[in-house]
Amino acid sequence: MPKVAVLRPDNTRIDEAITYLQSLDVTPISDPMLTICPTGKRPRQAEFCVFTSKTGVELAVEHGWQSDEETVCAVGRHTAAALRDYGYSVDVIPSTFTSTGLVEELTDVVEGETVEIARSAHGSDVLIQGLKEAGADVHETHLYYLEQPSTAGRSVSLAVEGELDGILFSSPKTVDHFFGIAAERDATGPLQRAAAETVIGAIGEPTARAVRKNGASVDVLPDQASFNRFARTTVNRIREIQQ
């Protein structure tokens, strides 16, 4: 069976990913590259409140956030689904599930309005700058930050040794930690050479850019940021190559 590294956060997401990969007759190599560290903060009240991840929604609700007449925005279907699971309505989902897509969606309606962005401490400046340029009064609350687990690195060793058929990168931070471990081991060159023979999947364009920045190419880039679809497409590509 193909060996595929899965690097999702060390919570229920990695467990769900392993179960799904096993259903595809794949040997998953579990190597979490991220630990989610909550800050204990919750979003401020504003006329618009923006969530960018399911994790952010879960932590905001856990720490007491409640919707109060604001326009609730979600970058993507999974974030929107998390809000609805908690009983909140979602007013805005951009047609393109990116920060740029949300800026384009809100540009004509946020001038002079307050906008609260509730997300991780590692978000890009695209959302903040774009909304400010549209005339909004923007505030950002960091709901969590991401650390590299001390146990991370098994998949890096296997990749360098040519023992992986595929690698599933599900966020830019995951990519940075993966290649950072290789750099700490003085194995960047060997990893890049091995990566050329490995099917690399990136869940979205920001993650793909991070892969390319680290000197590797992306073989699978799905049109929707769904982990299961992304994983299935990557596994299918591996099997096409192995036939």
Side-chain angles (χ1 to χ4, degrees):
M1 291 193 292
K3 291 182 181 178
V4 179
V6 56
L7 315 174
R8 301 192 88 188
D10 57 354
N11 54 19
T12 57
R13 286 171 177 76
I14 193 79
D15 298 329
E16 292 166 358
I18 290 168
T19 299
Y20 183 70
L21 286 169
Q22 288 172 336
S23 77
L24 300 177
D25 292 326
V26 164
T27 299
I29 305 300
S30 175
D31 191 14
M33 288 284 157
L34 299 174
T35 292
I36 296 170
C37 304
T39 64
K41 297 179 181 179
R42 63 186 179 192
R44 293 184 181 183
Q45 295 299 325
E47 287 153 315
F48 289 77
C49 188
V50 176
F51 290 95
T52 64
S53 70
K54 177 182 176 182
T55 298
V57 172
E58 292 168 347
L59 291 174
V61 173
E62 180 181 330
H63 291 100
W65 176 78
Q66 295 182 351
S67 179
D68 183 24
E69 304 295 325
E70 67 264 71
T71 298
V72 177
C73 310
V75 180
R77 291 197 187 101
H78 293 289
T79 306
L83 284 159
R84 294 185 182 115
D85 285 345
Y86 284 108
Y88 297 113
S89 62
V90 181
D91 303 296
V92 179
I93 306 173
S95 54
T96 303
F97 301 153
T98 63
S99 294
T100 300
L102 185 60
V103 169
E104 292 172 354
E105 196 82 22
L106 296 178
T107 290
D108 294 334
V109 296
V110 295
E111 184 174 1
E113 305 286 338
T114 56
V115 179
E116 170 72 351
I117 300 173
R119 61 180 183 177
S120 82
H122 310 285
S124 74
D125 292 333
V126 170
L127 196 53
I128 294 174
Q129 291 178 352
L131 294 174
K132 284 183 176 179
E133 289 171 3
D137 178 9
V138 182
H139 179 267
E140 179 182 25
T141 294
H142 295 157
L143 302 177
Y144 62 100
Y145 60 93
L146 301 168
E147 288 188 346
Q148 179 181 304
S150 59
T151 56
R154 177 189 177 204
S155 61
V156 177
S157 299
L158 291 173
V160 169
E161 294 163 5
E163 293 295 322
L164 292 181
D165 299 293
I167 305 172
L168 300 174
F169 288 113
S170 52
S171 72
K173 202 72 175 173
T174 295
V175 176
D176 291 342
H177 287 174
F178 184 87
F179 283 92
I181 291 170
E184 291 170 1
R185 297 176 179 177
D186 294 324
T188 298
L191 176 60
Q192 290 172 340
R193 290 190 290 274
E197 305 299 324
T198 307
V199 175
I200 293 182
I203 202 166
E205 185 54 44
T207 304
R209 285 197 298 270
V211 172
R212 297 183 192 112
K213 182 186 72 176
N214 281 282
S217 60
V218 175
D219 302 293
V220 176
L221 181 59
D223 56 0
Q224 293 184 18
S226 159
F227 180 83
N228 285 4
R229 176 175 294 193
F230 155 59
R232 185 173 64 251
T233 304
T234 304
V235 170
N236 288 343
R237 178 68 61 84
I238 292 169
R239 291 206 163 103
E240 288 172 4
I241 293 170
Q242 292 180 342
Q243 284 180 351

